[in-house]
Amino acid sequence: MLASLLIASNASRLLAQESKSAEYTARGDGYADEEEFELAITEYDRALSVDPKNARAWNNRGFACHQVGRDEEAVENYGEALRLRPRYIQALNNRAQSWEALSQNQKAIDDYTEVLRLNPIDLAALTNRAELHAKLDNHAAAIEDYSAALDINPEDNLVLYMRVEVCKDAGQFAQALEDCDELNRRCPDLDLIYVLRGKVLSSQGRYEAAILEFTKAIDLNSSSDYGWRTRGLAHLDNRNYEAAIEDFTHAIEIDPQNTAVLCARGNALVKKCEYEKAIDDFNMVLELDPEEKSAWRGRGAANHLLERYHAAIADLTRAIESDPRGADNPDYDYYVRGCSYFKVGRLENAIADYTTAIEIDPAYEWAYRRRAEAYEETGDYRAAVADKESAVAVNDQSESNWNGLAWLLATCPDASVRDGRRAVEAATKACELTEWK
């Protein structure tokens, strides 16, 4: 009898704890709905102090931590929720978002994969995993996920739009254009679809056709900077720099603080050899965002071309320091800084930068050529010959590469490096490429 009374008493106490914990959790949810996340965390703490096994409170506390940028703590909270409820799909989805915020993209993918194992038709998990695959350049996996999402909901225009973007990046242009046609059929007056189609055509190098699509987008919505900007980029890629500058200027008039467009116009001005105007654009970018790498790079290149080599070195150093081996063409930054170092006689620095550019891109023809020049200046003729041979290996259809190799082999001050026979062979190849002109 006594045992029965004790069991009943314990059960009653546990129910009371769970009820009180649920009350605190609900109060925390109310604060979270009002975006008062710190207050919400306090209530979730109260809920967990009463009932540490409240999986919902752990999950919701993790979400509140995520909202205030405390993602490492959020991951721990979600882990507790999942320890208590291993099939807690919301906690898995939420933890994936915190992993992504922490740049732990593969761990985020793993969590979304577990969600899809539990619920294969979870559209949010499919599309979020697809975005992460695309971010990691896993194009085939991204396309597979977007396609699976479309199988579940064929009318989801946003998912179809995203599949076009990934197909474009993967070089699957036929599928991308087919999807564009379907989007255009569904949304014939939406300017973004014409821009999307233009981007696919630009990726194919079909710039004139792309420009027609961007023009349709502008005709539909001339107040959006997007059509002007993308058409400007197509003109830039098509080497119509005047038209590119005109389009970028229209885009800037619509959004004067768009740093991407200001950088694009600056790059177009560099291509037109209007270096001072380009520097003005890059300066405006750096006033808006002092950490914008593209502006440091662009201004560095313009300063180099204006023979302001020390200023170029300083600018390009800032660009490199912001992301030394990032995905955004770091080899170019090292190459141009190397050229500036060469011009001011800092040959060891120049060679080091050319070497880094080559390590990043082993097929960087101009880096081999310039490093060969630097080696010649230092008297390391064997290294210079090796680099000229590497330039030929990268591009054996360049008359300049063969001619440079021939000249050094024929005229090298070091007799042990001179090689008349090989010099004649290289010179003959250069003459054949120019048809002896």
Side-chain angles (χ1 to χ4, degrees):
M1 183 68 173
L2 181 59
S4 297
L5 288 173
L6 287 172
I7 291 171
S9 175
N10 286 336
S12 177
R13 181 172 54 80
L14 288 172
L15 285 172
Q17 288 177 341
E18 290 176 0
S19 176
K20 194 64 177 175
S21 184
E23 180 184 329
Y24 287 133
T25 302
R27 194 180 298 169
D29 293 346
Y31 282 126
D33 289 343
E34 296 172 5
E35 299 187 0
E36 297 282 355
F37 296 112
E38 293 292 354
L39 292 174
I41 290 168
T42 299
E43 294 302 321
Y44 296 135
D45 285 341
R46 288 175 178 165
L48 292 164
S49 69
V50 174
D51 179 12
K53 294 183 179 180
N54 185 337
R56 182 163 170 262
W58 282 115
N59 174 69
N60 293 7
R61 188 184 192 283
F63 179 78
C65 285
H66 169 68
Q67 293 299 317
V68 295
R70 291 155 56 180
D71 283 287
E72 291 182 356
E73 193 174 343
V75 165
E76 292 178 2
N77 289 172
Y78 296 134
E80 282 298 311
L82 288 162
R83 184 181 62 80
L84 294 163
R85 286 173 52 186
R87 298 171 65 86
Y88 199 166
I89 285 178
Q90 187 181 38
L92 282 165
N93 272 319
N94 287 342
R95 188 171 68 176
Q97 292 179 31
S98 283
W99 282 132
E100 186 175 359
L102 293 167
S103 299
Q104 298 285 335
N105 293 326
Q106 187 55 55
K107 289 183 178 180
I109 288 171
D110 292 342
D111 273 351
Y112 287 131
T113 300
E114 178 62 12
V115 170
L116 292 165
R117 186 187 70 81
L118 297 170
N119 180 18
I121 60 171
D122 190 310
L123 282 171
L126 271 171
T127 54
N128 289 340
R129 189 174 70 174
E131 288 181 26
L132 286 169
H133 280 312
K135 187 183 291 187
L136 296 173
D137 292 331
N138 297 331
H139 297 127
I143 292 167
E144 184 178 349
D145 277 353
Y146 283 131
S147 298
L150 288 167
D151 288 340
I152 297 167
N153 182 10
E155 301 305 312
D156 192 324
N157 291 339
L158 179 58
V159 172
L160 189 58
Y161 185 101
M162 295 305 298
R163 188 171 72 176
V164 173
E165 289 279 13
V166 180
C167 284
K168 168 180 68 67
D169 293 341
Q172 296 188 21
F173 301 120
Q175 181 64 60
L177 291 171
E178 183 181 324
D179 285 350
C180 283
D181 289 341
E182 178 59 24
L183 284 168
N184 188 247
R185 184 189 65 77
R186 297 180 188 182
C187 312
D189 297 323
L190 185 60
D191 59 306
L192 292 178
I193 307 306
Y194 293 99
V195 170
L196 184 63
R197 187 179 182 86
K199 288 167 64 179
V200 175
L201 292 166
S202 284
S203 294
Q204 292 181 282
R206 298 166 60 185
Y207 300 118
E208 295 298 335
I211 287 164
L212 291 175
E213 297 297 323
F214 295 134
T215 301
K216 292 175 186 175
I218 292 168
D219 290 343
L220 284 168
N221 187 6
S222 61
S223 64
S224 169
D225 69 318
Y226 195 35
W228 295 107
R229 171 159 51 98
T230 48
R231 191 174 72 175
L233 290 171
H235 282 309
L236 182 59
D237 288 337
N238 204 31
R239 301 183 181 182
N240 188 345
Y241 304 127
E242 191 66 46
I245 292 166
E246 184 177 341
D247 277 353
F248 292 142
T249 300
H250 276 295
I252 292 165
E253 288 169 355
I254 295 167
D255 182 3
Q257 296 192 328
N258 191 319
T259 57
V261 184
L262 283 164
C263 275
R265 188 173 69 177
N267 290 331
L269 288 163
V270 169
K271 294 291 187 181
K272 274 199 74 187
C273 302
E274 297 184 23
Y275 306 126
E276 295 290 2
K277 289 182 180 179
I279 287 173
D280 288 341
D281 274 354
F282 295 129
N283 285 340
M284 281 192 282
V285 173
L286 293 170
E287 288 176 9
L288 293 166
D289 182 4
E291 301 304 316
E292 178 53 61
K293 175 179 179 177
S294 297
W296 290 111
R297 167 192 292 150
R299 196 174 74 174
N303 276 321
H304 175 81
L305 292 164
L306 285 168
E307 300 182 5
R308 300 170 183 164
Y309 301 122
H310 291 289
I313 290 167
D315 284 346
L316 291 161
T317 298
R318 281 294 301 269
I320 289 167
E321 287 174 349
S322 69
D323 192 11
R325 293 291 184 108
D328 187 19
N329 301 323
D331 50 331
Y332 176 83
D333 300 331
Y334 285 104
Y335 170 75
V336 179
R337 190 175 70 172
C339 292
S340 290
Y341 276 134
F342 181 86
K343 289 293 187 178
V344 298
R346 294 172 61 178
L347 300 179
E348 289 185 4
N349 295 99
I351 289 168
D353 272 358
Y354 295 140
T355 299
T356 302
I358 290 165
E359 288 172 354
I360 296 169
D361 179 8
Y364 204 149
E365 176 187 352
W366 277 94
Y368 287 115
R369 292 171 68 165
R370 295 304 185 212
R371 191 171 69 175
E373 292 177 6
Y375 278 135
E376 283 189 72
E377 289 294 316
T378 65
D380 191 346
Y381 299 111
R382 291 190 184 280
V385 168
D387 271 355
K388 287 181 181 290
E389 289 173 332
S390 293
V392 166
V394 171
N395 181 8
D396 64 1
Q397 296 303 300
S398 166
E399 171 268 332
S400 295
N401 286 346
W402 286 107
N403 190 57
L405 177 60
W407 183 261
L408 181 57
L409 289 171
T411 64
C412 182
D414 185 341
S416 68
V417 176
R418 285 199 302 273
D419 190 328
R421 181 185 59 80
R422 289 180 61 211
V424 170
E425 289 173 354
T428 301
K429 182 63 177 179
C431 291
E432 288 173 351
L433 287 168
T434 59
E435 297 181 347
W436 303 89
K437 294 177 183 178

